[in-house]
Each structure stands twice: as C-alpha cells, then as structure tokens.
Amino acid sequence: MKAKIQPDYKNLTHAAYVKEFKRLAKMAETQANGEENAVTFFVKRMHKFACGTEAPLMLLSKMDAKWKKQAKEDLKGDKKMILIAKAHFTAGENGNVLELSPIKGNAPLAKIAKEGKALLKKAKFALVKAGEAVSAAAAEGAAAGGEEEAPKEEAQPTTEDSKTTETAETTSDDTAAAGAESAAVDPQLEKKKAKGRQVMAKMLENLQKIEAKLKN
C-alpha cells in the first residue's frame, strides 16, 4: 500500500491529501494488522498546504523513494515537528488502535493526536505508543481482579505470645522427659532393693528370737 500522492508540497492541496489519507487508513486497517505487517507512519505537524491550509500532514503507507527523500529533508528542520515511526493496528474495545514505534523525529505523540484530532476522527482510530494498548488492557484486568475479596490472612502471633508459647512448650517437653525417665525401671537397682529388704527381714527375725530367749 503506497501513497498515490507525491511529495510535491508546492501543489499538494489539503483536500487532495485528506482524501488520500482516508484511503490509506482504510487499507491499513487490514494490511497493517499486527506488528509483523507494520507500515511507516510519517507526520509533519502543521504543514502549510498549497491551498493555504495549515494542518498536520500524516502519511500511513509503505513509503517509496520520493517520500523517504522528502522525510529526510524535513528532518533537517525542527525535529519536534517531525515523526517517523513503524505502525500497526490492534483491535481495542472502542475501535482500532494504531500502535507506533518511533524511529526518527521528536514530535510528541500527544500533540500529534491533538492537532490531528479531526482527521483521526474521520479515519476512526486512535494513536498510542507501541505496548501501551496491551498495558492498559492488563491494568484494567488487574483492577477488575482487585475488586474480588482478598483471602484473609491468618493472624500472626505477637512477640510476647510467641515467647509464652515457646516457654510453655519447653516446660511441657521437660516434664514429659522427666516422666519418661522416672517411668524407666533399672533392673540392677531393683535387685539391690530386693536383697536389702531380705537382709532387713532376716535381721528383724533374729532380733525377735533374741528377745524371746531373754524373756525365758
């Protein structure tokens, strides 16, 4: 899709330009659909046409050698008035969006959109910097997701609560350990205790015999 009009600024009227721009814009909606099919977007802000009208000159096409040469000449002037970018269409909620990836020139996109508002309205598309349309959609999705109730977080114990819990657990563990130790039976100790009881019983028996003899 190449422009039919030539960069003949001395003879190019605004009416002829607008007609060509609308034709190119309509073609670009299908032929420049997607980044892989990007075309060139050339802008000269507030250009003075042969008819005397001052308005933005925006060209959306695959630029031929003549237009490339003219764009190069225009860049030698005020770069804030010129923009050359790669452009492709993406579908938006409110219509097609033309995503731009600037290559040369420093013309602000906001001013281009403002100054070319009437023409862009006729072409029925909006201008955005490449990636902004996707970012905006992602932001809207995140905002919609944020409206859902967030999961409640479990209450975290305070420092004092943690210390109290830790102390209680330590005490419990120590008590349990002591109980376990006391519950354990030492066989050797039990044997010694049994033998001691036998000796005491024998001694008591001998004492009783001695007392009996003394009474007699």
Side-chain angles (χ1 to χ4, degrees):
M1 46 175 290
K2 295 182 179 180
K4 291 181 178 179
I5 57 175
Q6 297 298 314
D8 183 4
Y9 287 170
K10 292 181 180 179
N11 298 310
L12 181 61
T13 64
H14 186 254
Y17 158 72
V18 170
K19 183 179 179 180
E20 179 64 1
F21 178 81
K22 290 168 68 176
R23 185 187 74 86
L24 289 170
K26 188 174 182 180
M27 290 176 62
E29 287 183 356
T30 55
Q31 296 187 28
N33 190 6
E35 191 173 357
E36 66 280 4
N37 298 317
V39 295
T40 302
F41 186 63
F42 169 66
V43 180
K44 184 179 181 182
R45 295 173 51 203
M46 305 315 292
H47 173 71
K48 188 172 182 178
F49 290 89
C51 57
T53 301
E54 288 191 17
L57 188 157
M58 296 184 287
L59 194 68
L60 185 61
S61 69
K62 293 182 179 179
M63 297 178 72
D64 60 20
K66 290 182 179 180
W67 272 108
K68 287 179 180 179
K69 183 179 179 181
Q70 184 60 57
K72 189 175 181 180
E73 287 296 319
D74 289 333
L75 278 168
K76 291 179 181 179
D78 187 354
K79 287 183 171 58
K80 291 183 179 179
M81 300 300 291
I82 305 297
L83 178 67
I84 301 175
K86 284 294 182 183
H88 68 276
F89 279 101
T90 56
E93 292 184 0
N94 299 317
N96 285 327
V97 175
L98 187 65
E99 294 195 52
L100 305 179
S101 300
I103 300 173
K104 294 180 180 180
N106 299 322
L109 190 58
K111 293 200 174 195
I112 294 173
K114 183 178 180 180
E115 294 164 355
K117 184 177 180 180
L119 191 59
L120 293 171
K121 189 175 181 180
K122 290 180 181 179
K124 297 180 181 179
F125 63 76
L127 300 178
V128 297
K129 191 173 181 179
E132 287 186 355
V134 177
S135 299
E140 288 177 4
E147 293 175 0
E148 297 179 2
E149 185 178 353
K152 295 181 179 179
E153 297 184 357
E154 294 183 1
Q156 298 297 322
T158 62
T159 305
E160 292 299 324
D161 291 340
S162 298
K163 289 181 178 179
T164 302
T165 303
E166 184 177 352
T167 302
E169 289 177 351
T170 303
T171 304
S172 177
D173 291 342
D174 291 343
T175 303
E181 289 178 0
S182 61
V185 178
D186 187 347
Q188 296 297 327
L189 181 59
E190 289 299 316
K191 286 182 180 180
K192 289 180 181 180
K193 287 181 180 181
K195 189 173 182 179
R197 286 193 291 269
Q198 289 176 359
V199 171
M200 291 295 292
K202 188 69 175 176
M203 289 175 64
L204 182 59
E205 184 181 350
N206 291 334
L207 285 172
Q208 288 175 348
K209 287 180 179 180
I210 293 170
E211 285 179 358
K213 286 180 179 181
L214 288 173
K215 286 179 181 181
N216 295 329

